[in-house]
Amino acid sequence: MDFLRPRTLDEALAMRAERPDAVPIRGGTDVMVEMNFDRRRPGALLDLAGLAELDTWHRTADTVRLGAGVSYARIMAELADPLPGLAMASRTVGSPQIRNRGTVGGNLGSASPAGDAHPPLLTAGATVEVASTRGTRLVPAADWYLGVKRSALAADELITAVHVPVAAGPQQFAKVGTRNAMVIAVCSLALELAPATGAVRVAIGSAAPTPRRCPDAEAYAGAEFADRRLWTVGSPLPAVLVQRFGELVAAAADPIDDVRSTAAYRRTALAVLARRTLTWAWREFRDGGRRCA
Amino acid sequence: MSTVPARTAQDLTADVAGGIGHSPQRPDGVLKVRGEFAYSSDLWADDMLWGATLRSPHPSARIRGVDTSAALALPGVYAVLTHADIPGPSKHFGLVVSDQPVLAIDEVRYQGEAVAVVAADHPETARRAVAAIRVDYAVREPVTDAAAARADDAPRVHPDGNIVRYARIRRGDPAPTADVVVRGEYAIGMQDQAFLGPESGLAVPAADGGVDLYVATQWLHADQRQIAPCLGLPQDKVRLTLAGVGGAFGAREDLSMQIHACLLALRTGRPVKFVYSREESFFGHVHRHPATLSYETGATRDGKLVYVKGSVVLDGGAYASSTPAVVGNATSLGAGPYEVPNVHMDVWGMYTNNPPCGAMRGFGSVQAAFGYESQLDRLAAALGLDPVELRLRNALHQGSTMPTGQVVDSAAAVREILTAVRDMPVPPTDPGTDPLGLPGGAGNTTHGEGVRRGIGYAVGFKNVGFSEGFDDHSTARVRLGVVGGEPVAVVRTAAVEVGQGHVTVQQQIARTELGVDRVVIPPADTSMGNAGSSSASRQTYLTGGAVRAACRAVRDRVLDRARARTGVRDGLDLAGGNVVDAGGAVLVPLAELLADGEIDETAVYRPRRTAPMDPDTGRQDFAHLQFAFCAHRAVVDVDTELGLVRVVELAAAQDVGKAVNPGALVGQIHGGSVQGMGLALMEEIQVEGGIVRNPSFTDYLIPTILDTPPMPVEVLELADPHAPYGLRGVAEPPTISAAPAVVAAIRAATGRPLTRIPVRPQDITG
Ligand SMILES: Cc1cc2nc3c(=O)[nH]c(=O)nc-3n(C[C@H](O)[C@H](O)[C@H](O)COP(=O)(O)OP(=O)(O)OC[C@H]3O[C@@H](n4cnc5c(N)ncnc54)[C@H](O)[C@@H]3O)c2cc1C
């Protein structure tokens, strides 16, 4: 097996085009597991570590361009302010060792329905930037996930960055696992409030063949918040609203029974997570509102 | 409480640095922490070949043919062996019953059973060769329900039927009645030992036609006894040396790659190394028996136990392994550490086409304890009594009679350890709002919503050493000589260091007995006499006893020399590398005495011999050598809406007779407690239709440090006059009581019956 070490992104893209049998590797926290378990025997590894183009992030007024090779540990340390949802999700990934190595680019590359970065990318309306010797294109996160561990990435492309809008309101992330750390999600949920547009956005992981948004729940909450003038009144959320929101999130799931849990439990848990994160985000909005006033 | 130490109290506390009662640094500690310790997977010989194993994908199938030609044709492949290549006379092995083929003969009985082995010049070549072997299977419907397998007309896993062992107890009234009766059905999933160092070893063919095997195991002589007849070699031509062991917990008591490596080494004339992958490891060793238990417990209105009726089915899987002994424990210990006048126990150990099950820390007691302790809590609720109070009213004590008729002849501190955990300070009730301190942990699933606190208690017990008539013994050889002008003791045994710290204990004993600082422990090997297994909480007792006996024989000879040299007859002792008089004044340095030649003594230690239980009644006055007890109090926070649990604290109290190494001992109690907690909350090999669904640490979950609560420990030292230094085995009891205590706490928090472990989130949310 060859180990290809490009020095620049251009070199990497050229190698990617020449060697269709080469598997990109960044943190290796998915690739090496696959190889150890003998599920993958690539002809070559294309090492993306140390490519400056991938390992940096830039912030503009309303967007963070997050290099595909930035680790979870760095996201937690450096981006918790503009990207709280993604930082919260990063905190739930694996162990300190995994968070030091693992990247959002790798999470997108694997496109596992259980990947923790996906739900906050979906709620934020992030865009995946991919490149090849043919050029660069932008893929909305919502179009990225095609099936279980299948993504929109073409065979000659590399993920270069993710463009994530800066949080415009409270964001939350919660993940259920059967132990208190270092566990693959039984189910997960990201939620954010966008007071400026009145939107409530919610996405779920490990609950369907792909991570997905929950349009009915979002529409319901958006309408209720508007009808009840909650954004301006800022009163506590009515229990019926919270309850119904949870039900609609659960209904958006298409879960399965597997070795980690049951479909029925996943639905139950998603409803609970939806109710709680909505309540937390709303509390944060109200507290923030009061602080501003 | 009578405390009659085997030596005087003064002797025991005499300050020998690093002696008995101290916690000296382990000789292997620094290397292990720095990652420099050589484990069996690090073994290397320059001209070695790599072994690999073809395993059955089916839990049950006839083998119509095996075609190895394509594998043999691969360049770099040196041998491909099937059962036809085993010289014999035996083609089977097994700890108790020799029922498991070294390589499958015409059929496979579990998923993962070894069918063929390969030796090649590279692990990748070996892997490819395995993939090139063609096996023609005729798949059969597997037998997977252990209880149903008891039926006369059930399909048979082995020709003689599916029952490996049935044992029972009939004590007292055959039809007892009581004021208050509670019944319960319980189930326990298949726990794995989850050691970190996968099965591995190196077999080196020897010039004399024999073989030298370096291997991580638990019992060198049991391996040797099973290997030799399959190789067609006499025992003394199969020599084993212990390689670095990365944990065991029972999983290395059975053979894995041993015979395969030796066969290939002898066939190819080259050293052959095996290292299982993590996934293969899940198929390469036995697991803890899953069990279904049915209990009926009767008591008087004021909470005195009248009777216990228990029936337990243990799923032994495809081969017997140590199922017979596990059945014995579940039977004789199945009523719990209580005084019960009337006991009926019926315990079956079954063959099925599930993965083979055998030894794991707690060995039959873990399963029974979940049953009898759950029952005690039910009974307490039915009586309106405090669960601890109910246990205290029935606690076993010294002089009590066990259901077998055996009278407990040393401390049984059930009352003392229960009150100790009950009286420890309770952690603060407010868990705060930081998710890391709440159920769900790092997942940020609650900030306090739905969280309820629960407290639960349990007590458990276990026999120490081998029971039911086994000739339990160990051997040690101690040589006292001079190196560089200093006295040095060399202690040799075949006792296996599995990580428990046994080599440290051997050093401590030699220091205390011989008054020398420097004690060398060469690697264990079969040139020494049998030490028995590093299991059954027995090694400090048994091999510790042998080391002490050998040291004392050496010491007697040293003192004889000293008397001859100095003319002082009485009160001589060894201390600080010298022979001292009764007042502690130096008479003669050891180094000087040993100039006349080193002293070398071998001793075999045999504790009192146990005897088999009567097959009809279970009656036996001395089925077990010693009993060891542990109690836990678990405090948990449960997210009742999500079914997630955080153990807030897991307090333990245990009587150890004598704390030979207090540091290592508390480590054993901590480790055992976490292993029991893991069984309560998450550790399960999920088997469906005989197929293992989660053979990886991605999905076989064991507690992480963030799941591990503070674990205050109270250690009691009530000496057992029959045991060396008064000690009591330590390693297993904490694993037994931890799981029922945690489940009791979850029940207290949720009000749910929770009759199955591990408790899954959906069992709590309903
Ligand atoms: C012990 C352990 C615990 C884990 N826990 C979690 C968890 O809690 N949550 C979670 O979501 N994941 C978890 N994972 C999985 C893994 O850590 C994540 O998916 C991580 O994001 C992968 O990032 P990486 O950089 O290590 O990817 P790699 O392993 O390097 O690559 C993953 C995949 O992406 C491709 N790839 C990587 N970078 C690029 C790129 N720039 N362009 C194109 N393709 C690319 C690779 O070819 C490969 O297919 C865990 C893994 C381990 C081993």
Side-chain angles (χ1 to χ4, degrees):
Chain A
M1 189 179 71
D2 298 325
F3 192 68
L4 312 175
R5 298 213 69 177
R7 277 159 305 174
T8 62
L9 178 59
D10 284 343
E11 226 175 273
L13 293 175
M15 287 175 175
R16 178 82 161 139
E18 275 164 31
R19 292 289 302 263
D21 63 330
V23 168
I25 178 168
R26 177 59 188 87
T29 58
D30 277 325
V31 171
M32 293 310 296
V33 173
E34 297 257 290
M35 290 180 45
N36 279 336
F37 274 97
D38 221 355
R39 291 194 201 110
R40 214 162 172 178
R41 294 264 153 183
L45 286 178
L46 176 59
D47 183 22
L48 305 179
L51 297 186
E53 296 93 328
L54 302 190
D55 286 359
T56 48
W57 58 265
H58 298 289
R59 179 183 171 168
T60 60
D62 51 9
T63 306
V64 173
R65 182 187 181 277
L66 176 69
V70 177
S71 69
Y72 293 112
R74 283 186 60 199
I75 294 171
M76 289 156 57
E78 301 166 22
L79 292 167
D81 184 44
L83 309 179
L86 187 61
M88 290 175 93
S90 301
R91 241 172 254 135
T92 74
V93 172
S95 59
Q97 297 91 325
I98 298 300
R99 294 193 291 270
N100 282 336
R101 295 289 308 175
T103 64
V104 172
N107 218 230
L108 287 165
S110 295
S112 155
D116 289 323
H118 310 317
L121 294 181
L122 283 170
T123 48
T127 314
V128 185
E129 178 191 300
V130 296
S132 67
T133 50
R134 295 175 289 132
T136 297
R137 62 184 182 116
L138 295 173
V139 184
D143 299 334
W144 182 258
Y145 311 102
L146 302 183
V148 177
K149 299 196 176 178
R150 284 194 303 116
S151 74
L153 187 73
D156 63 344
E157 283 175 334
L158 291 175
I159 304 162
T160 43
V162 199
H163 300 261
V164 194
V166 169
Q171 300 188 339
Q172 280 293 338
F173 180 82
K175 156 178 160 182
V176 172
T178 23
R179 70 181 165 194
N180 286 315
M182 186 67 174
V183 66
I184 297 183
V186 162
C187 59
S188 65
L189 180 146
L191 175 136
E192 66 176 71
L193 303 182
T197 59
V200 175
R201 290 195 288 260
V202 58
I204 52 179
S206 269
T210 64
R212 57 164 69 154
R213 292 268 288 265
C214 310
D216 292 348
E218 293 183 354
Y220 167 77
E224 286 286 312
F225 275 54
D227 289 355
R228 298 173 189 255
R229 302 185 48 250
L230 289 173
W231 298 108
T232 44
V233 176
S235 55
L237 296 178
V240 282
L241 189 165
V242 176
Q243 179 68 26
R244 182 72 190 134
F245 180 70
E247 287 165 14
L248 289 169
V249 167
D254 184 11
I256 54 169
D257 288 341
D258 66 10
V259 71
R260 288 174 200 142
S261 191
T262 63
Y265 173 79
R266 287 184 161 107
R267 277 192 210 278
T268 307
L270 285 168
V272 174
L273 293 185
R275 296 199 299 262
R276 289 183 183 171
T277 53
L278 182 65
T279 309
W280 300 336
W282 185 246
R283 195 179 303 143
E284 190 187 329
F285 169 72
R286 293 173 66 213
D287 291 353
R290 251 179 249 120
R291 264 202 310 276
C292 294
Chain B
M1 186 58 59
S2 75
T3 53
V4 191
R7 305 182 68 198
T8 66
Q10 197 196 344
D11 279 343
L12 280 175
T13 51
D15 211 16
V16 181
I20 295 291
H22 291 241
S23 302
Q25 216 180 45
R26 319 166 47 123
D28 52 348
V30 172
L31 287 174
K32 283 180 172 170
V33 169
R34 290 162 69 147
E36 291 166 358
F37 182 82
Y39 288 96
S40 52
S41 50
D42 299 315
L43 290 162
W44 193 270
D46 278 342
D47 55 345
M48 73 185 184
L49 301 173
W50 293 83
T53 311
L54 174 70
R55 297 181 181 277
S56 167
H58 308 294
S60 178
R62 272 198 323 106
I63 296 179
R64 286 188 290 233
V66 181
D67 179 1
T68 61
S69 55
L72 274 167
L74 284 176
V77 172
Y78 283 72
V80 181
L81 308 182
T82 67
H83 74 87
D85 301 296
I86 299 169
S90 178
K91 293 193 175 205
H92 294 79
F93 67 96
L95 264 180
V96 183
V97 188
S98 195
D99 64 348
Q100 181 160 359
V102 174
L103 293 167
I105 304 172
D106 302 336
E107 62 179 320
V108 287
R109 296 188 178 88
Y110 72 98
Q111 180 206 15
E113 179 157 2
V115 176
V117 288
V118 166
D121 58 6
H122 190 277
E124 182 64 22
T125 316
R127 187 191 71 84
R128 288 195 186 138
V130 162
I133 300 170
R134 295 278 157 262
V135 184
D136 182 8
Y137 293 105
V139 174
R140 301 182 293 214
E141 189 60 32
V143 176
T144 57
D145 181 333
R150 290 177 300 178
D152 285 339
D153 58 351
R156 294 190 162 196
V157 178
H158 289 268
D160 292 342
N162 293 335
I163 298 174
V164 182
R165 182 181 177 190
Y166 163 68
R168 64 189 214 162
I169 288 191
R170 293 288 179 270
R171 175 174 196 232
D173 187 345
T177 55
D179 300 340
V180 179
V181 174
V182 291
R183 298 183 178 81
E185 312 275 326
Y186 306 95
I188 292 158
M190 184 185 289
Q191 189 179 21
D192 189 63
Q193 299 84 350
F195 55 53
L196 290 186
E199 292 81 353
S200 46
L202 178 73
V204 183
D208 65 354
V211 62
D212 292 287
L213 178 64
Y214 303 82
V215 68
T217 180
Q218 274 177 259
W219 186 355
L220 290 164
H221 286 82
D223 286 12
Q224 182 188 40
R225 171 177 58 75
Q226 295 169 82
I227 297 167
C230 297
L231 304 178
L233 289 173
Q235 297 280 333
D236 60 0
K237 291 231 169 148
V238 179
R239 294 163 293 257
L240 275 77
T241 303
L242 186 68
V245 183
F249 310 107
R252 291 187 212 274
E253 204 148 67
D254 293 80
L255 296 180
S256 56
M257 44 58 66
Q258 284 90 330
I259 302 176
H260 300 160
C262 292
L263 283 170
L264 288 166
L266 291 168
R267 170 66 76 103
T268 60
R270 300 264 293 261
V272 174
K273 172 171 172 170
F274 272 81
V275 183
Y276 288 1
S277 69
R278 174 62 56 200
E279 180 169 1
E280 185 171 22
S281 176
F282 274 96
F283 298 97
H285 61 252
V286 298
H287 316 289
R288 188 192 299 291
H289 290 73
T292 51
L293 308 93
S294 168
Y295 269 89
E296 183 179 313
T297 309
T300 63
R301 230 171 291 285
D302 57 355
K304 283 296 281 178
L305 289 172
V306 176
Y307 71 89
V308 168
K309 288 186 185 176
S311 109
V312 179
V313 180
L314 296 155
D315 185 349
Y319 296 103
S321 179
S322 44
T323 295
V326 171
V327 166
N329 281 2
T331 311
S332 57
L333 307 173
Y338 304 107
E339 289 201 305
V340 195
N342 306 292
V343 176
H344 292 196
M345 288 297 303
D346 295 275
V347 182
W348 289 265
M350 302 302 301
Y351 281 128
T352 65
N353 292 116
N354 289 322
C357 289
M360 181 173 175
R361 196 177 197 173
F363 204 84
S365 303
V366 166
Q367 293 90 336
F370 182 59
Y372 62 68
E373 286 299 87
S374 297
Q375 285 290 102
L376 266 270
D377 287 341
R378 269 191 197 192
L379 189 58
L383 290 163
L385 263 181
D386 174 73
V388 175
E389 178 54 33
L390 174 64
R391 286 171 170 86
L392 293 178
R393 287 186 192 177
N394 296 284
L396 201 74
H397 52 78
Q398 181 163 4
S400 297
T401 304
M402 294 280 297
T404 51
Q406 177 164 359
V407 175
V408 180
D409 65 3
S410 71
V414 177
R415 163 173 288 277
E416 291 81 351
I417 56 180
L418 268 170
T419 48
V421 290
R422 184 193 61 194
D423 296 343
M424 285 187 199
V426 181
T429 32
D430 180 13
T433 53
D434 178 2
L436 275 187
L438 287 165
N444 183 41
T445 48
T446 180
H447 297 170
E449 299 90 339
V451 175
R452 275 203 237 131
R453 172 74 43 106
I455 298 186
Y457 293 87
V459 56
F461 73 148
K462 170 81 180 32
N463 53 328
V464 172
F466 297 147
S467 296
E468 298 188 68
F470 192 90
D471 175 23
D472 206 0
H473 66 277
S474 184
T475 317
R477 176 178 174 187
V478 174
R479 215 173 66 215
L480 189 60
V482 182
V483 176
E486 264 192 81
V488 174
V490 179
V491 179
R492 297 193 79 103
T493 73
V496 167
E497 170 65 55
V498 294
Q500 82 277 46
H502 186 62
V503 288
T504 323
V505 164
Q506 291 187 10
Q507 289 182 320
Q508 291 178 261
I509 292 172
R511 288 192 192 110
T512 291
E513 297 296 333
L514 299 174
V516 299
D517 270 350
R518 290 176 58 195
V519 181
V520 176
I521 314 285
D525 64 39
T526 47
S527 71
M528 283 302 310
N530 198 339
S533 179
S534 288
S535 65
S537 307
R538 66 181 279 289
Q539 220 44 303
T540 304
Y541 192 137
L542 272 291
T543 298
V547 171
R548 183 179 73 159
C551 285
R552 288 191 175 173
V554 168
R555 176 192 155 92
D556 287 347
R557 285 183 53 196
V558 172
L559 295 183
D560 281 348
R561 272 193 205 174
R563 287 189 195 97
R565 167 85 64 108
T566 63
V568 181
R569 309 289 329 157
D570 297 322
L572 271 60
D573 204 352
L574 300 179
N578 300 298
V579 179
V580 296
D581 69 12
V586 175
L587 290 174
V588 52
L590 273 177
E592 217 176 291
L593 272 185
L594 295 167
D596 300 348
E598 59 180 32
I599 294 175
D600 191 341
E601 288 289 338
T602 296
V604 175
Y605 177 68
R606 274 200 162 74
R608 295 177 294 165
R609 179 85 179 249
T610 60
M613 300 189 288
D614 181 276
D616 288 328
T617 62
R619 170 91 204 178
Q620 175 47 251
D621 292 346
F622 201 66
H624 297 305
L625 174 62
Q626 189 189 49
F627 301 100
F629 305 83
C630 184
H632 277 97
R633 180 190 68 198
V635 179
V636 305
D637 281 336
V638 183
D639 183 333
T640 51
E641 288 183 290
L642 286 175
L644 302 179
V645 177
R646 169 166 206 92
V647 180
V648 175
E649 188 198 81
L650 190 54
Q654 186 167 341
D655 169 31
V656 304
K658 166 72 195 169
V660 173
N661 184 321
L665 183 153
V666 169
Q668 285 290 321
I669 295 174
H670 281 164
S673 300
V674 174
Q675 211 159 21
M677 182 187 87
L679 172 61
L681 295 176
M682 61 184 86
E683 293 194 37
E684 181 176 10
I685 297 189
Q686 299 180 40
V687 182
E688 215 175 82
I691 300 286
V692 175
R693 300 172 74 210
N694 55 338
S696 76
F697 282 162
T698 310
D699 286 312
Y700 183 87
L701 299 183
I702 54 179
T704 70
I705 194 68
L706 285 179
D707 299 280
T708 305
M711 293 182 284
V713 172
E714 192 158 322
V715 172
L716 277 64
E717 295 186 83
L718 308 175
D720 177 350
H722 311 288
Y725 306 113
L727 71 83
R728 204 174 280 290
V730 168
E732 294 174 288
T735 316
I736 298 165
S737 43
V742 168
V743 178
I746 306 174
R747 288 188 194 117
T750 62
R752 295 218 161 245
L754 303 178
T755 55
R756 176 196 190 279
I757 48 176
V759 174
R760 298 159 297 196
Q762 60 267 31
D763 299 333
I764 296 174
T765 58

